[in-house]
């Protein structure tokens, strides 16, 4: 797993994307052989997040073929005109997520990014979690909702709201590159991991 794409879109929650991005970049400096990029859903010079942060993506997702695709959330619970709900209704991001998974990518949904994974159909009959405000929406899908901060089902992972993205990213660092690298990233970021990790049958 040597290429990572964190996908963002207008209305994404800043920490959903930037938190895991920083974890992965720190891991790369500490021995993980990861090439980490920030990708837009569509070709765009800038993307504006939910709190007004403007970022310049490295390019569109269509130009990448990542081994790990991380999908941010944001705007789902409010049904915002820009955000995860809007992207789910538009449809091209869920389609891209499904296509990446079909090609063999591991896909991780942060916060309500998990709802985009559900819309893509890759949470069907799998354990999953999302932001607390969207759990009823997740229960209305074919996912199997579990009570955990991070859910690992092998090639599909989800986590709870916003800050849980840090725990998801650090869990992936440990899973792929070992506990020493994950511990070094935690020390660098002065972050204490918390919450339970639920491991599904496919994580064995």
């Amino acid at each position: 797993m040597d290429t990572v794409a964190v996908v963002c879109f207008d209305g994404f929650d800043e920490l959903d994307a930037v938190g895991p991005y920083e974890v992965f970049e720190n891991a790369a400096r500490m021995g993980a052989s990861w090439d980490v990029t920030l990708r837009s859903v569509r070709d765009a010079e800038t993307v504006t997040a939910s709190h007004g942060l403007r970022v310049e993506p490295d390019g569109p997702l269509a130009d990448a073929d990542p081994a790990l695709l991380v999908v941010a959330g944001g705007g789902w619970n409010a049904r915002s005109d820009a955000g995860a709900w809007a992207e789910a209704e538009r449809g091209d991001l869920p389609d891209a997520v499904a296509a990446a998974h079909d090609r063999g990518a591991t896909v991780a949904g942060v916060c309500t990014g998990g709802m985009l994974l559900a819309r893509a159909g890759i949470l069907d009959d799998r354990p999953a979690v999302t932001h607390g405000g969207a759990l009823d929406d997740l229960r209305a899908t074919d996912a199997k909702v579990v009570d955990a901060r991070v859910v690992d089902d092998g090639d599909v992972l989800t986590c709870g709201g916003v800050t849980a993205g840090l725990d998801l990213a650090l869990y992936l660092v440990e899973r792929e590159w070992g506990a020493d690298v994950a511990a070094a990233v935690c020390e660098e970021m002065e972050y204490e991991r918390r919450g339970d990790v639920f491991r599904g049958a496919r994580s064995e």
Side-chain angles (χ1 to χ4, degrees), residues 145-177:
V145 178
V146 297
D147 182 14
R149 188 161 173 85
V150 174
V151 176
D152 174 8
D153 198 38
D155 59 349
V156 176
L157 299 95
T158 52
C159 69
V162 193
T163 59
L166 293 169
D167 294 293
L168 171 62
L170 286 161
Y171 172 78
L172 275 165
V173 170
E174 181 173 352
R175 193 183 87 169
E176 299 300 321
W177 301 104

